[in-house]
Each structure stands twice: as structure tokens, then as C-alpha cells.
């Protein structure tokens, strides 16, 4: 039989498998694991930021030679890319503009941009919040 005493689990028989003494650390809470993310280097052109890029990478760089517009994927595609989403689920994206030309973030269908949508020779961070199955708002931070 398993017994919890002095922060240790004594030998227990579970489904014919022996479990040996184990130390319970940090109140049995596993530390958060972070997903490895890659930087998306955008070409010097207008582009659509795909749902997968926004969710899985979230960090975009661009060196524009003229003003450019980056448009998000649709809200429906963004929501579809989030397994087991709930209203209120959120993630961040960052756009790093490496030149002195305006880069404007525009929302795809169902996506609202809240706050300043332009970065010029600076970075900008937006928090994407799921509002419904067909609506996402990106808040400038």
C-alpha cells in the first residue's frame, strides 16, 4: 500500500509494477516547460502572418525599405490553431522592425487591432486574446 509520510512515498504495488521511494518536491508541482520557438524573418514585402507562425513562433523580424503592412491570419484560423482553446485564452506576438520605415499590423477577417498598429525602427508587442470562435483582439502592450 502507498503511504505518504515525511514527504516521501514508500514502495507501492500499482498494476503489478513496483514504484520505489520517491521524493515529492515543490508540493508535487512540475515546473512549467517552455516550447522552443524560432524567429520568423520576414522578407521586405507585405505579408500575412499565419496562425501557426503567430502561435508557435510569435517573434517576427523585418527590415523594410519602404512602408509595409503585415496582416494577421483570420480569427477562425487562429482559433483553430489553438487546441482546447477557451474564450480568454491569449498569447503574445512581437514584431521587430529593423529600419526607419513604418510597418503596420492589420487584422485579418475577425481580428481587431487595439492600440497603435505601427512600428518604425522599434519593436512592438501585442497580446492576442480569443474573444469567440470567430473573433480575436490583439492589444498593443
Amino acid at each position: 500500500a502507498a503511504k505518504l509520510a515525511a514527504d516521501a512515498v514508500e514502495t507501492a504495488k500499482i498494476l503489478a509494477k513496483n514504484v520505489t521511494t520517491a521524493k515529492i518536491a515543490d508540493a508535487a508541482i512540475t515546473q512549467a516547460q517552455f516550447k522552443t520557438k524560432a524567429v520568423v524573418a520576414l522578407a521586405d514585402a507585405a505579408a500575412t502572418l499565419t496562425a501557426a507562425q503567430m502561435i508557435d513562433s510569435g517573434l517576427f523580424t523585418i527590415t523594410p525599405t519602404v512602408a509595409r503592412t503585415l496582416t494577421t491570419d483570420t480569427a477562425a484560423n487562429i482559433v483553430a490553431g489553438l487546441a482546447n482553446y477557451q474564450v480568454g485564452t491569449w498569447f503574445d506576438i512581437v514584431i521587430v522592425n529593423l529600419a526607419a520605415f513604418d510597418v503596420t499590423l492589420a487584422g485579418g477577417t475577425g481580428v481587431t487591432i487595439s492600440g497603435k498598429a505601427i512600428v518604425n525602427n522599434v519593436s512592438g508587442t501585442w497580446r492576442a486574446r480569443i474573444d469567440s470562435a470567430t473573433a480575436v483582439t490583439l492589444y498593443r502592450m
Side-chain angles (χ1 to χ4, degrees), residues 37-49:
K37 297 185 174 195
V39 175
V40 177
L42 298 169
D44 179 17
T48 296
L49 310 179

Side-chain angles (χ1 to χ4, degrees), residues 44 62-68 96-103 118-122:
D44 179 17
I62 186 169
T63 307
T65 56
V66 296
R68 299 290 184 196
V96 181
N97 178 351
L98 299 168
F101 295 96
D102 287 350
V103 172
I118 297 172
V119 289
N120 184 310
N121 207 27
V122 71

